[in-house]
Structures are given as structure tokens and as C-alpha cells.
Amino acid sequence: MSHSVDIAALANLLQEAAVKEILPRFRNLGSGDVRMKSEAIDLVTEGDEAAERLIKARIDAIAPGAVFIGEESVAADPALLDKLAGADLAIVVDPIDGTFNFAAGLPLFGVMASVVAKGETVAGIIYDPLGNDWVVAEKGAGAWLCRPDGSQEKLAVTAGVPLENMVGGASTGFYKEEDRRIVMGNLARVRIATSYRCAAHEYRIFAGGHLHFLMYQKLMPWDHLAGTLIAEEAGAYAARFDGSRYRPAHTNGGLLLATDKESWDVLRREVFIV
């Protein structure tokens, strides 16, 4: 790859943040350790902030000169997000994806990082602190499950199936109410539609061949850059609702991922068009 980032070192850094700052706080948060951000379902914990501080403090040694885009850093300084599109090199981090689950004591959360070079996502990592393993992709090199013993397993999405047999994830909470009613009604056409409230694990199981589609309405880079690259490297088809390619600078327009282009077209036409 043309970027100058040691992906193994970045993966180990996510693990270090989890071991030192996230796992000790899991099911051990005090009353003042969880705060609401924009609304009751949008939370931040001391674990999110402490993990991001640790990653940010170490990142220059791994990616010298890179712009650091962290979810909590952008919450404190929204203008920081504007630097992503024009950066020669950027590291985008979600210190705890699935904060609602983490705060509720549900063991379904992850740590994510992506590498963006000149407006293109070139690497992505999703670390599972409880499983202690990583799903990793570099552009053009496939998607891999990497275990702590050094063993690796190449990931591939499952084969497409008819709409009525599809099982997938759909995050409908950011639709306008009238559109949400339509989409949720349309979702009756698939076999199962669910949401784990954790994109990290949704992307992992999709890339591992256990789901047929994923849909997201709100596109923040720390939530979707790593997972989309991993899914594409596992063979998935991904695009925004208008059919355009999803890029790091996009924060709206919806995102639909499917096992193949034919399935994507069916889902867009029959379920997610509003």
C-alpha cells in the first residue's frame, strides 16, 4: 500500500486502549461516567473519552503527520471533521462503537479505526475487546479475521438469496417519521431485519457471511469507513441510496450494502426507496 501506516501496530493500539481504558469500565461505570450528547440514545462514557485520548496520544508514532479524526474529538470541535476530505493522510477512530450497549452492560461493542489517504479509505480495522480479535482490510488485499495467536481467516460475504429470504441489519432511527413508517413497513418483505445498535459487529458478521444486507441512514466516518471497506474487500456491493460510491467526506445520503449488485438493486427498489 502507498500509505505509510503500520496496520498491525494500529490494530495493537486499539487493543491497548480496550485493555487499559474500556474493559476495566465495562459494567463498572459510575453514575457520573455516562452522559447524554445530542439525545437520550446518543451517549458518551468515560470509557469513550479515555480510550480516544490514549489512541490519539500514540497515533503520531504509527502515522506521523496524520490528521486525527476521533468521534469524541469532533464532538468537542466539529470543524475538525472538515479536514478529512483534503488530508493527505488521516486516521479516523471510533473509541467505542456501540456506546449505548456498553453503557447498558451489553457485551456488544467494538473499537474501530480507518486509514484515509487523499480522500480514499485504504485500510480499516474493527477490534472486538471481548473476543480479543480483529477484522482487518487493506484496499485490494481482502478482508481477514485476525486472532491473537496469529492465525488468520479470509472473510467472504454469503451468496445472494431472494428478497423474502434475506436476513440483514437496518438502522431506521434517523429517517424522518413519515419515511420511517414506509421503510419499516417495507422491511416486512425480508425474512428478518434487525439492529444490534453496533455497526462494528454488524459489519463483522456481514463480512463473515452471516447477513445479506446492511442499511444505514446517518453516515459519520468513524461509524462506516472501516466497515464498508472490510465489506467490499469481502465481496459486498456498497453504495449510497442514489447509487453513488460512498466516500470518507459523505455524512448523508444513506448507505446500503448487499451481497451483490443484483441484491442491492432489489433492496433499494423494494424496501429502502422513499
Side-chain angles (χ1 to χ4, degrees):
M1 300 297 297
S2 60
H3 63 80
S4 55
V5 179
D6 184 336
I7 299 304
L10 182 57
N12 289 336
L13 178 55
L14 302 189
Q15 181 188 48
E16 180 185 357
V19 169
K20 291 184 176 178
E21 303 293 358
I22 297 173
L23 290 175
R25 292 178 167 90
F26 182 52
R27 295 181 177 168
N28 195 34
L29 292 166
S31 59
D33 293 339
V34 183
R35 301 183 303 283
M36 185 176 72
K37 293 163 75 173
S38 62
E39 54 181 325
I41 61 172
D42 183 16
L43 303 177
V44 62
T45 73
E46 290 296 313
D48 296 79
E49 294 175 336
E52 185 165 314
R53 283 195 301 269
L54 187 153
I55 295 168
K56 184 178 181 180
R58 304 271 205 283
I59 205 67
D60 195 56
I62 296 172
V67 174
F68 181 84
I69 307 287
E71 179 178 7
E72 306 315 327
S73 297
V74 172
D77 179 13
L80 181 61
L81 189 58
D82 297 335
K83 298 181 179 180
L84 180 59
D88 287 338
L89 183 66
I91 307 295
V92 181
V93 170
D94 191 342
I96 301 179
D97 184 73
T99 296
F100 184 92
N101 296 342
F102 177 75
L106 183 65
L108 199 63
F109 54 90
V111 188
M112 297 198 287
S114 57
V115 181
V116 176
K118 298 185 184 300
E120 294 284 343
T121 308
V122 296
I125 304 168
I126 301 176
Y127 175 65
D128 176 11
L130 296 173
N132 191 30
D133 58 17
W134 304 258
V135 170
V136 179
E138 291 190 74
K139 192 171 182 65
W144 300 83
L145 171 63
C146 302
R147 300 181 178 91
D149 65 2
S151 63
Q152 297 184 348
E153 176 186 342
K154 191 170 186 180
L155 301 179
V157 296
T158 190
V161 297
L163 181 66
E164 61 270 20
N165 294 332
M166 290 186 187
V167 176
S171 178
T172 59
F174 292 101
Y175 276 109
K176 296 177 182 178
E177 182 177 351
E178 58 270 27
D179 292 341
R180 186 164 62 249
R181 290 177 183 274
I182 295 170
V183 169
M184 293 186 76
N186 290 344
L187 282 167
R189 301 179 185 182
V190 307
R191 186 68 178 88
I192 298 174
T194 189
S195 172
Y196 296 135
R197 299 202 64 175
C198 179
H201 279 281
E202 289 165 353
Y203 280 116
R204 282 174 60 110
I205 63 174
F206 176 58
H210 304 291
L211 296 176
H212 300 103
F213 68 89
L214 295 174
M215 186 283 296
Y216 301 99
Q217 180 70 16
K218 184 180 180 182
L219 307 181
M220 302 312 293
W222 42 82
D223 289 325
H224 301 296
L225 294 184
T228 299
L229 178 64
I230 288 166
E232 289 178 323
E233 288 294 320
Y237 184 84
R240 294 199 297 166
F241 289 166
D242 64 3
S244 64
R245 185 179 171 216
Y246 170 53
R247 298 175 64 89
H250 292 149
T251 57
N252 54 35
L255 177 62
L256 177 60
L257 302 96
T259 53
D260 50 61
K261 178 63 162 61
E262 182 180 357
S263 296
W264 190 97
D265 288 336
V266 170
L267 286 159
R268 181 69 183 102
R269 182 177 66 248
E270 301 294 335
V271 179
F272 297 113
I273 190 164
V274 292

